[in-house]
């Protein structure tokens, strides 16, 4: 995919001109004997498996594999069975609707789930369908001092409507604390991370169109894999990552960096969560391989949609989140609100 095509696709999708983007994808596949992996991922996401398979002339081995793993009527058996620890954190509200896709995603592998939630917020019975799982809960941390320091260091973004929201979202502190606690669940239940071939970070509302098909990928101790679908602003999506125990031990410790070095400044002023994650992984010397597994976040409004119809983003949710953050900052940090 050349630079012009990449920019054109970005603009069309940003303006929600999906019809035009699909027309271009169909034309390119019709006129060319083969397409690049980047083109394939873009077109496959837009068109879905049946339409892509119909138009693709000479698929590569990877493209053939993706067409099979994204086909909801097929289940691919991995060539190599791996022992995988999946660390789940957040709220398991959507788990019941994501369960089938999660089990299909790791089909054929030996999976143990390590689940974390804040105390009193989760009924472990909701997790029973996972089968081989271990659960821990902890008190929700008070991160207000870190939130204040982040406002002082990076400031507030002003909107014409009068809203002000922190450039560093207060949500990142409890979220990454929960991610770290999910990883700690492994040792709390008598396991060691290095007992597993791979360790995975995942949210309860992750919905998978495809399957995990990288059992032949050369995972190294300084490399991890993310799903590229929620990348943005030059950084990495924080909804999913998988790698060796050594690589993922760095990933799960981002909370320590956020509450120390990051608050001293010296990192990118572009404080989107994606950029913050990239800054941290660069700081740790961790390389990232971006893959497309068909990740979607299953919001309540999307339950019941066909997998290929689940939107990647919901701008209404973003607006509501900004309004809540603005009200939270005004109430919790009135001095910072008035001085910024």
């Amino acid at each position: 995919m050349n630079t012009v095509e990449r920019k054109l696709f970005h603009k069309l999708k940003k303006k929600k001109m999906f019809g035009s983007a699909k027309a271009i994808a169909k034309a390119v596949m019709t006129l060319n004997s083969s397409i690049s992996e980047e083109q394939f991922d873009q077109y496959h996401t837009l068109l879905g498996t049946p339409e892509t398979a119909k138009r693709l002339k000479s698929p590569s081995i990877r493209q053939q594999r993706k067409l099979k793993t994204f086909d909801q009527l097929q289940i691919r058996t991995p060539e190599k069975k791996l022992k995988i620890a999946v660390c789940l954190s957040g709220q398991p509200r959507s788990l019941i609707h994501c369960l089938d896709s999660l089990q299909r995603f790791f089909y054929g592998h030996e999976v143990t789930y390590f689940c974390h939630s804040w105390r009193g917020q989760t009924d472990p019975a909701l997790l029973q369908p996972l089968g081989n799982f271990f659960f821990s809960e902890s008190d929700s941390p008070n991160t207000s001092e870190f939130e204040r320091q982040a406002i002082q260091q990076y400031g507030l973004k002003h909107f014409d409507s009068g809203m002000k929201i922190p450039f560093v979202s207060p949500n990142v502190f409890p979220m990454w604390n929960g991610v770290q606690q999910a990883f700690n669940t492994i040792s709390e239940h008598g396991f060691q991370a290095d007992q597993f071939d791979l360790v995975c970070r995942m949210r309860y509302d992750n919905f998978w169109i495809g399957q995990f098909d990288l059992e032949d990928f050369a995972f190294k101790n300084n490399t991890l894999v993310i799903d590229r679908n929620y990348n943005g602003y030059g950084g990495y999506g924080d909804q999913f990552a998988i790698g060796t125990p050594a690589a993922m031990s760095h990933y799960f410790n981002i909370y320590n960096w956020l509450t120390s070095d990051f608050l001293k400044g010296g990192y990118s002023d572009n404080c989107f969560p994606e950029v913050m994650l990239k800054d941290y992984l660069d700081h740790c010397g961790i390389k990232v391989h971006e893959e497309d597994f068909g990740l979607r976040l299953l919001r309540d409004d999307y339950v019941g949609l066909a997998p290929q119809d689940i939107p990647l983003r919901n701008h209404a949710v973003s607006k509501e989140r900004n309004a809540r953050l603005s009200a939270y900052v005004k109430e919790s940090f009135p001095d910072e609100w008035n001085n910024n």
Side-chain angles (χ1 to χ4, degrees):
M1 179 174 280
N2 60 41
T3 302
V4 174
E5 184 183 354
R6 189 180 296 112
K7 288 182 177 179
L8 176 60
F9 258 81
H10 177 73
K11 288 182 179 179
L12 290 175
K13 288 194 292 184
K14 188 174 183 180
K15 294 180 179 181
K16 298 184 179 181
M17 298 175 66
F18 298 113
S20 298
K22 288 180 179 180
I24 293 173
K26 292 176 182 178
V28 171
M29 285 194 288
T30 299
L31 295 172
N32 292 276
S33 60
S34 63
I35 58 175
S36 70
E37 300 302 331
E38 183 181 1
Q39 286 174 311
F40 173 82
D41 289 342
Q42 289 273 8
Y43 302 167
H44 194 201
T45 298
L46 272 172
L47 301 175
T49 296
E51 186 69 30
T52 305
K54 182 173 69 175
R55 295 179 178 274
L56 197 58
K57 295 177 181 177
S58 301
S60 67
I61 293 176
R62 176 184 178 273
Q63 291 167 8
Q64 293 176 44
R65 191 174 69 207
K66 288 295 180 185
L67 288 172
K68 183 173 182 177
T69 61
F70 276 64
D71 185 342
Q72 300 298 298
L73 299 179
Q74 298 188 60
I75 297 182
R76 175 181 175 270
T77 300
E79 297 174 2
K80 179 182 178 183
K81 185 176 183 178
L82 299 173
K83 192 174 182 180
I84 303 174
V86 177
C87 300
L88 287 156
S89 59
Q91 294 294 327
R93 291 184 298 266
S94 302
L95 178 62
I96 188 64
H97 303 293
C98 298
L99 186 63
D100 288 345
S101 80
L102 173 56
Q103 294 178 333
R104 181 178 180 274
F105 182 69
F106 282 124
Y107 178 82
H109 296 291
E110 182 182 344
V111 181
T112 305
Y113 297 95
F114 296 93
C115 309
H116 174 267
S117 182
W118 303 125
R119 195 176 309 283
Q121 295 187 14
T122 298
D123 180 358
L126 293 173
L127 307 174
Q128 291 293 336
L130 289 172
N132 187 25
F133 80 96
F134 297 87
F135 175 68
S136 70
E137 56 183 0
S138 60
D139 294 328
S140 180
N142 182 349
T143 61
S144 58
E145 186 53 39
F146 300 132
E147 296 165 22
R148 178 183 295 278
Q149 291 178 44
I151 293 173
Q152 293 171 346
Q153 180 66 49
Y154 294 98
L156 298 173
K157 181 178 181 180
H158 294 236
F159 292 82
D160 292 338
S161 63
M163 282 198 313
K164 300 179 187 179
I165 64 170
F167 279 102
V168 178
S169 171
N171 295 333
V172 301
F173 296 105
M175 184 199 81
W176 283 113
N177 183 278
V179 170
Q180 186 179 65
Q181 295 297 333
F183 181 65
N184 292 343
T185 300
I186 295 176
S187 58
E188 288 175 8
H189 287 277
F191 294 87
Q192 294 181 354
D194 59 12
Q195 291 177 238
F196 300 89
D197 298 310
L198 299 173
V199 179
C200 171
R201 174 293 198 263
M202 194 179 291
R203 289 170 43 150
Y204 289 107
D205 60 355
N206 282 10
F207 185 96
W208 301 97
I209 301 175
Q211 290 180 256
F212 179 70
D213 58 353
L214 288 185
E215 65 272 6
D216 57 348
F217 180 77
F219 282 95
K220 299 179 180 179
N221 287 337
N222 67 338
T223 304
L224 54 80
V225 173
I226 63 161
D227 186 291
R228 64 161 55 100
N229 280 291
Y230 286 91
N231 290 354
Y233 312 105
Y236 306 128
D238 57 22
Q239 295 82 4
F240 167 82
I242 191 167
T244 66
M248 290 300 292
S249 67
H250 289 289
Y251 184 97
F252 283 107
N253 279 326
I254 186 174
Y255 180 72
N256 296 344
W257 173 81
L258 279 175
T259 55
S260 56
D261 287 359
F262 174 74
L263 292 177
K264 297 174 184 176
Y267 294 93
S268 173
D269 289 333
N270 188 346
C271 296
F272 291 104
E274 298 89 343
V275 177
M276 294 160 64
L277 177 57
K278 184 179 187 303
D279 282 348
Y280 171 69
L281 294 176
D282 288 347
H283 169 75
C284 295
I286 299 296
K287 299 178 181 179
V288 172
H289 173 78
E290 301 173 42
E291 189 56 58
D292 182 10
F293 298 115
L295 171 62
R296 298 293 185 272
L297 297 182
L298 192 67
R299 314 285 186 186
D300 291 342
D301 293 344
Y302 304 159
V303 173
L305 292 179
Q308 68 271 16
D309 293 333
I310 299 173
L312 276 169
R313 288 173 175 81
N314 185 328
H315 296 288
V317 170
S318 298
K319 290 180 180 179
E320 293 170 3
R321 183 188 302 117
N322 285 346
R324 290 196 303 270
L325 283 177
S326 182
Y328 171 77
V329 172
K330 186 175 183 180
E331 179 181 351
S332 302
F333 308 105
D335 51 335
E336 305 296 345
W337 175 277
N338 293 325
N339 293 333
N340 275 271

